[in-house]
C-alpha cells in the first residue's frame, strides 16, 4: 500500500514519492498494469522505461544519483 496507495477499479496507482521505499526494499524492477485512462510510457521519478505490451509496462528502478 505504500507503493500503490490508491487504485482505479482495483488497479494500484504507483506513487512516485515511494521511490525511496522501493530502493530500500531492493526492488530492481516494477511491472505496472496499464490503466485505460492513462497515457502510455509514463515517466516516473526513479524509474526507467524498458518495455511495454498491450497490458503491462516494465520499468527498471534507477539507483540514487
Amino acid at each position: 500500500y505504500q507503493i500503490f496507495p490508491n487504485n482505479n477499479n482495483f488497479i494500484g496507482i504507483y506513487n512516485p514519492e515511494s521511490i525511496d521505499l522501493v530502493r530500500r526494499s531492493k526492488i530492481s524492477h516494477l511491472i505496472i498494469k496499464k490503466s485505460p485512462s492513462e497515457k502510455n510510457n509514463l515517466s516516473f521519478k526513479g524509474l526507467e522505461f524498458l518495455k511495454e505490451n498491450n497490458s503491462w509496462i516494465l520499468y527498471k528502478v534507477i539507483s540514487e544519483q
Side-chain angles (χ1 to χ4, degrees):
Y1 292 107
Q2 293 175 345
I3 298 171
F4 300 96
N6 300 305
N7 72 70
N8 180 8
N9 294 324
F10 302 104
I11 298 172
I13 298 171
Y14 175 70
N15 175 11
E17 299 306 315
S18 68
I19 193 64
D20 291 331
L21 173 69
V22 171
R23 288 177 179 140
R24 280 193 314 270
S25 299
K26 299 186 185 203
I27 296 171
S28 64
H29 293 77
L30 289 176
I31 299 174
I32 299 178
K33 184 163 180 63
K34 285 184 180 178
S35 173
S37 64
E38 297 294 327
K39 63 182 182 175
N40 296 340
N41 294 334
L42 290 176
S43 177
F44 293 114
K45 172 184 169 185
L47 299 178
E48 174 187 349
F49 169 81
L50 293 179
K51 192 179 253 191
E52 70 177 303
N53 66 20
N54 292 332
S55 301
W56 303 93
I57 304 174
L58 175 63
Y59 292 95
K60 179 180 180 180
V61 177
I62 301 169
S63 60
E64 291 184 87
Q65 298 165 347

